[in-house]
Amino acid sequence: RYLPGNTATEVGGDWFDVIDLPGHRTALVVGDVMGRGLRAAVAMGELRTAVRTLAMLDLEPAEVLSALDDIALGLGNPNGGRRRRHRAKDREGSDLSEVYLATCVYAVYDAVTRRCTFANAGHLPPVVVHPGERPLMLDVPPGMPLGVGGEPFEEIEVELPDGALLGLYTDGLVESRHQSLDDGLEAFRRALEGPSRPLEDVCDHILTTLDTHHGEDDIALLMARVHALPGDAVGDWTLPPEPTSVARARELARDKLAQWGLDDLVDTAELLVSELVTNALRHGEGDIRLRLLLDRTLVCEVWDKGLAQPRRRRGR
């Protein structure tokens, strides 16, 4: 849900996003550019686009925020990057760089491991509701806002049971002149209590229960219910770094696809497994891990122990 603070313009610096990642993982993002109006909206658009680009590079959440921090520094300083000796000013002499300070929380949920990794840049903590339990504000290291520069970002990893509810939001939802932040957070927790309900109803209930008509700030709310990939939809094997592992990997893939009733995909999957495992033998290090995932699509993944990031070539 997105509610603009100023209904006349309907532009602001709050944003949310949901991004599909490789390996049946999902990135959830909520951010808030400080300031209001068109300049905040432009900065928001720049950062939101950057998040989607960085996410597809498959970086860790803390690395995504570090790169966003550099981008925010560049937006706020026309002289570039971390060299901020001279601040840009508009005709009235006000500081333009302040509009490019932003808070952001970036989370990646892995449906195979059932774990969610969070990194935070000065944003309010995510809320999690385990089935049948009271809502919990996660103790995610707050970090510094994007655009401050020079500060590292930390990550925490949390295991989420199947069906857990995850909420990300901006401060307009829980804070106003008539309500302190602590009171707003407590009201948010209370609104999430009670029996499980569809996500649309959860969002509607939150927005009607909390003070969301103050018109002081934009409100962004992202609610997600996580679902793990069943164990019988995963094939996971570790192979020694030996030439015989190529044939063994083909055999494992062939047997698993036959078990899943995907005989039509056997030839393609065997070819993929052969190529990837051979590459790991030739160019990688250590044991080789092969994983097959069955959901909306069939995914074939191969790892080795090398720390270098693979570089995608132009071959089709």
Side-chain angles (χ1 to χ4, degrees):
R1 294 288 193 274
Y2 177 78
L3 299 178
N6 185 344
T7 56
T9 61
E10 295 192 357
V11 295
D14 290 17
W15 88 90
F16 60 87
D17 214 340
V18 179
I19 307 167
D20 284 334
L21 299 176
H24 295 298
R25 293 174 300 130
T26 304
L28 305 170
V29 192
V30 165
D32 182 2
V33 176
M34 298 180 187
R36 301 184 63 179
L38 185 59
R39 290 189 299 175
V42 170
M44 176 272 289
E46 296 262 12
L47 292 174
R48 184 174 184 268
T49 300
V51 169
R52 295 192 68 89
T53 302
L54 292 166
M56 296 315 297
L57 295 177
D58 212 11
L59 302 176
E60 296 297 325
E63 292 180 285
V64 170
L65 292 188
S66 293
L68 277 180
D69 187 39
D70 287 338
I71 292 170
L73 280 168
L75 290 174
N77 179 18
N79 294 322
R82 299 181 179 275
R83 298 174 59 191
R84 304 189 66 188
R85 299 176 182 175
H86 306 288
R87 293 178 177 269
K89 297 185 181 293
D90 64 12
R91 293 178 180 177
E92 287 75 33
S94 62
D95 194 342
L96 293 182
S97 65
E98 291 303 320
V99 79
Y100 297 118
L101 290 175
T103 65
C104 180
V105 60
Y106 184 91
V108 173
Y109 174 69
D110 189 327
V112 180
T113 65
R114 306 185 183 194
R115 302 186 72 83
C116 192
T117 305
F118 297 88
N120 192 1
H123 204 80
L124 292 171
V127 62
V128 170
V129 187
H130 290 204
E133 299 184 15
R134 295 197 64 192
L136 171 69
M137 293 289 176
L138 292 179
D139 187 16
V140 180
M144 296 297 291
L146 303 175
V148 172
E151 297 295 329
F153 297 97
E154 299 181 49
E155 295 177 359
I156 67 163
E157 192 175 65
V158 178
E159 186 169 348
L160 298 178
D162 193 60
L165 192 65
L166 175 63
L168 308 177
Y169 54 96
T170 56
D171 57 1
L173 181 70
V174 293
E175 186 177 29
S176 69
R177 284 178 294 182
H178 307 292
Q179 179 175 254
S180 69
L181 178 60
D182 288 342
D183 290 342
L185 291 173
E186 181 58 33
F188 185 30
R189 278 194 292 259
R190 289 197 302 268
L192 289 170
E193 293 179 344
S196 177
R197 52 171 71 97
L199 286 179
E200 293 286 350
D201 295 344
V202 171
C203 291
D204 290 341
H205 178 68
I206 291 171
L207 295 183
T208 55
T209 302
L210 274 59
D211 177 22
T212 57
H213 301 288
H214 49 71
E216 298 173 17
D217 198 2
D218 303 329
I219 295 172
L221 172 66
L222 176 59
M223 303 299 304
R225 195 178 305 280
V226 301
H227 293 290
L229 205 61
D232 58 6
V234 178
D236 198 344
W237 307 274
T238 300
L239 303 169
E242 302 170 356
T244 56
S245 291
V246 180
R248 177 58 179 158
R250 285 198 302 267
E251 179 185 357
L252 291 169
R254 185 168 57 248
D255 292 346
K256 178 58 72 173
L257 266 62
Q259 178 185 331
W260 285 335
L262 299 177
D263 297 300
D264 292 345
L265 296 180
V266 168
D267 289 345
T268 302
E270 279 191 309
L271 177 61
L272 287 172
V273 168
S274 291
E275 291 290 337
L276 293 174
V277 173
T278 300
N279 281 347
L281 279 171
R282 289 179 175 176
H283 309 294
E285 302 173 10
D287 289 343
I288 299 165
R289 183 182 177 191
L290 167 65
R291 192 166 77 168
L292 298 178
L293 310 175
L294 178 63
D295 192 32
R296 295 183 298 271
T297 60
L298 174 67
V299 175
C300 169
E301 298 179 323
V302 173
W303 288 267
D304 61 69
K305 297 294 185 180
L307 299 178
Q309 182 82 349
R311 180 181 175 186
R312 182 180 299 178
R313 301 295 184 177
R314 294 185 178 272
R316 291 287 181 254

